[in-house]
């Protein structure tokens, strides 16, 4: 990445973002857990050809501030939804198409549900189903339910939690996780690994990571979709090992959803793995709803 990020001050915390394009409707790109605006580096300049496109780092991630969880800030869907809404007001200057990946989809829905005047539409790429949410665990096999609960309890111990994070925050481990999430292995580049590794070195990064791994509350996509009054689409990589597209397809039953588009053989992060498929679909969707 050669682009130099910009900084926005939100609630006295520095927030990193990037933009491309100076005319047309606005679009805001919202990354998933552990990622940053750079995860949209293959989409931002393309979408910027036809619209004013922005990508920001949610607080706690990327180059944005990482205040202490529970003391200075709560890392919740509601917090991030408010951040996105304020970004639209203060930086975008009005409503925007909200485009998310993974947990960023739920954040986009939260922002749109709470601020209908700021959302022109929601596009969700491999939306997080939050299968470890407290209201969903009873649907899991007993061993996964018990295992997840045990892991969360163990990670409450600061020593164990930090040791666990240190083992994850290594180039080899990050590459292995990406190779599991991505179907197109060639997309797992050194640039991508470094992009995800760098923020883990920031003070507070471990505390944010551990706070989110213990977060099993808050809204689900199916809670927010009935509240949306803007056009909504789903793009879903069918080879996603974490968010099964067969389960995701159930989200298409809500009235706000106008399309559910399977991306054959693509993994969890279609915008980075298959921009050749994703960019034209997003451009067409934005164009259709901007007339």
């Amino acid at each position: 990445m050669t682009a130099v990020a910009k900084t926005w001050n939100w609630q006295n915390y520095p927030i990193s973002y990037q933009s491309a394009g100076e005319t047309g409707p606005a679009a805001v790109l919202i990354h998933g857990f552990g990622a940053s605006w750079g995860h949209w580096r293959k989409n931002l300049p393309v979408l910027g050809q036809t619209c004013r496109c922005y990508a920001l780092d949610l607080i706690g991630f990327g180059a944005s501030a990482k205040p202490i969880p529970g003391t200075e800030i709560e890392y919740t869907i509601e917090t991030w939804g408010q951040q996105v809404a304020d970004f639209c007001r203060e930086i975008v200057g009005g409503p925007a198409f909200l485009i998310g990946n993974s947990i960023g989809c739920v954040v986009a829905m939260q922002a749109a549900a709470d601020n209908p005047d700021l959302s022109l539409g929601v596009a969700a790429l491999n939306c997080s189903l939050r299968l470890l949410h407290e209201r969903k665990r009873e649907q899991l096999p007993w061993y996964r339910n018990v295992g997840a609960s045990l892991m969360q309890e163990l990670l409450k111990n600061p020593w164990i939690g930090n040791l666990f994070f240190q083992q994850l925050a290594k180039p080899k481990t990050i590459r292995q996780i990406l190779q599991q999430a991505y179907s197109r292995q060639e997309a797992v580049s050194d640039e991508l690994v470094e992009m995800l590794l760098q923020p883990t070195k920031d003070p507070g990064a471990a505390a944010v990571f551990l706070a989110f791994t213990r977060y099993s509350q808050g809204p689900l996509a199916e809670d927010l979709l009935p509240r949306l009054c803007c056009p909504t689409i789903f793009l879903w990589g069918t080879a996603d090992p974490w968010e099964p597209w067969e389960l995701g397809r159930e989200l298409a039953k809500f009235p706000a959803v106008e399309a559910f588009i399977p991306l054959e053989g693509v993994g969890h992060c279609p915008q980075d793995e298959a921009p050749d498929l994703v960019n034209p679909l997003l451009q067409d969707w934005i164009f259709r709803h901007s007339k």
Side-chain angles (χ1 to χ4, degrees), residues 64 89 172:
S64 287
R89 290 190 184 95
K172 182 179 179 180

Side-chain angles (χ1 to χ4, degrees), residues 47-71:
L47 298 180
Q49 295 171 6
T50 52
C51 68
R52 294 176 293 123
C53 195
Y54 303 82
L56 78 162
D57 288 352
L58 297 174
I59 192 165
F61 298 112
S64 287
K66 300 170 180 64
I68 300 172
T71 301

Side-chain angles (χ1 to χ4, degrees), residues 9-10 20 61 70 88 102 129 141 166 197 228 272 275 277:
N9 191 52
W10 181 64
F61 298 112
C88 289
S102 192
L129 298 171
Q166 290 169 16
L197 177 66
L228 297 187
D272 187 53
L277 300 178

Side-chain angles (χ1 to χ4, degrees), residues 239-277:
D240 188 338
W242 299 337
E243 311 291 349
W245 79 277
E246 297 90 348
L247 295 179
R249 191 168 48 186
E250 292 297 307
L251 299 176
K253 67 184 180 182
F254 291 94
V257 181
E258 62 180 29
F260 183 96
I261 305 172
L263 304 174
E264 295 296 334
V266 177
H268 184 63
C269 305
Q271 79 279 11
D272 187 53
E273 183 180 340
D276 55 315
L277 300 178

Side-chain angles (χ1 to χ4, degrees), residues 1 4 10 30 35 42 73 96 98 111 117 126 134 153 201 236 278 287:
M1 286 182 298
V4 177
W10 181 64
I30 307 163
K42 300 175 184 177
I73 199 168
L98 305 179
D117 58 314
N126 287 59
E134 60 185 11
E153 285 301 314
K201 302 174 183 178
W236 213 291
V278 169
F287 176 76

